[in-house]
């Protein structure tokens, strides 16, 4: 049991780099379960393929899959990362393409966070050209204030303010993905690197 003022999830090796907890592990789990139910209803009776964008989406995908009860398959795609910067270059490179064709299938793209929108704008164009039966997007997080390109997002877990967030799959410089919550990274951490 913890005192009311304690932040029980702010423990562990990275706690000194976290400014604040934005979304707790419990809040994430509740929301992911809700998203699973909506996906069940929307895709009932359809050939559903979840496509996760590596690496940030893997933890969200792992929980989301288990919140979905209809049969489905998964595939993975990797795009270029930010390197050690906290800003998107706007240039998207495919590092690893899908294993399977998506023609005629109902595709749900699973993303960790939409920031400028460049990554998803590019991927939507790429996938539409492969003629799926449908193509929708589910993102755990959205930073609407940073959008540079319009994106049609079907489901969003949470809207977040314009801060660099880490945890639950999201990294800075490949670290912090294992935090069970979504937290704000202390600016001095990225200012010291980038
Ligand atoms: P976009 O192309 O600018 O929309 O960037 C999308 C990608 O940038 C996401 O899939 C993340 O991998 C990464 N990203 C954007 N904002 C953050 C953040 O606050 N924390 C960690 N990664 C982020
Ligand atoms: Mg990503």
């Amino acid at each position: 049991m913890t005192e009311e003022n304690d932040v029980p999830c702010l423990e562990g090796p990275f706690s000194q780099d976290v400014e604040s907890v934005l979304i707790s592990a419990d809040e994430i789990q509740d929301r992911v379960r809700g998203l699973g139910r909506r996906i069940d209803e929307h895709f009932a009776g359809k050939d559903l393929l979840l496509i996760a964008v590596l690496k940030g989406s893997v933890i969200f995908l792992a929980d989301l899959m288990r919140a979905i009860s209809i049969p489905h398959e998964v595939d993975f795609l990797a795009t270029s990362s930010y390197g050690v910067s906290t800003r998107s270059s706007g240039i998207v490179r495919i590092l690893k393409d899908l294993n399977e064709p998506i023609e005629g299938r109902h595709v749900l793209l699973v993303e960790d966070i939409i920031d400028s929108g460049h990554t998803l704008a590019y991927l939507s164009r790429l996938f539409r050209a492969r003629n799926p039966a449908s193509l929708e997007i589910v993102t755990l997080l959205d930073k609407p204030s940073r959008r540079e390109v319009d994106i049609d997002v079907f489901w969003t877990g949470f809207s977040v303010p314009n801060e660099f967030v880490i945890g639950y799959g999201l990294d800075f410089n490949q670290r912090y993905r294992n935090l069970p919550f979504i937290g704000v990274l202390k600016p001095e951490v990225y200012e010291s690197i980038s």
Side-chain angles (χ1 to χ4, degrees):
M1 285 293 122
T2 50
E3 297 287 317
E4 210 182 310
N5 289 338
D6 281 0
V7 184
C9 41
L10 241 186
E11 286 166 0
F14 297 130
S15 55
Q16 74 281 1
D17 297 344
V18 177
E19 179 121 327
S20 60
V21 175
L22 212 53
I23 309 164
S24 72
D26 284 348
E27 288 173 303
I28 297 173
Q29 292 309 320
D30 277 358
R31 189 73 183 122
V32 171
R33 274 194 292 272
L35 290 170
R37 284 195 295 272
R38 305 243 201 113
I39 291 168
D40 274 345
E41 284 163 21
H42 184 85
F43 292 101
K46 293 183 174 155
D47 174 27
L48 173 61
L49 174 67
L50 303 184
I51 295 180
V53 186
L54 294 170
K55 307 171 196 165
S57 313
V58 291
I59 298 192
F60 178 38
L61 175 79
D63 284 343
L64 187 64
M65 287 178 72
R66 288 174 291 179
I68 296 174
S69 47
I70 61 169
H72 62 275
E73 294 175 21
V74 291
D75 203 349
F76 296 92
L77 175 111
T79 57
S80 54
S81 76
Y82 287 8
V84 290
S85 162
T86 56
R87 307 190 57 187
S88 173
S89 60
I91 299 160
V92 181
R93 262 188 323 134
I94 302 287
L95 303 179
K96 181 219 166 288
D97 206 335
L98 301 174
N99 287 356
E100 305 291 334
I102 59 170
E103 186 166 355
R105 309 197 64 183
H106 291 274
V107 172
L108 180 61
L109 252 171
V110 179
E111 250 292 30
D112 51 356
I113 184 166
I114 308 180
D115 190 37
S116 69
H118 287 296
T119 308
L120 277 181
Y122 176 81
L123 293 180
S124 298
R125 276 198 308 276
L126 181 80
F127 290 157
R128 281 194 200 288
R130 298 181 185 180
N131 297 317
S134 67
L135 177 64
E136 308 295 357
I137 295 168
V138 59
T139 185
L140 178 70
L141 305 177
D142 187 6
K143 264 192 224 175
S145 60
R146 299 250 309 170
R147 195 73 88 258
E148 292 170 18
V149 217
D150 257 356
I151 300 288
D152 224 354
V153 185
F154 218 68
W155 295 287
T156 300
F158 304 89
S159 279
V160 292
N162 182 13
E163 300 199 77
F164 198 79
V165 293
I166 49 168
Y168 197 72
L170 288 109
D171 73 304
F172 171 67
N173 202 13
Q174 300 303 323
R175 298 282 172 85
Y176 311 103
R177 296 191 196 275
N178 55 326
L179 296 176
F181 54 84
I182 301 285
V184 176
L185 184 64
K186 281 188 182 162
E188 56 258 41
V189 177
Y190 54 80
E191 279 157 9
S192 70
I193 297 178
S194 51

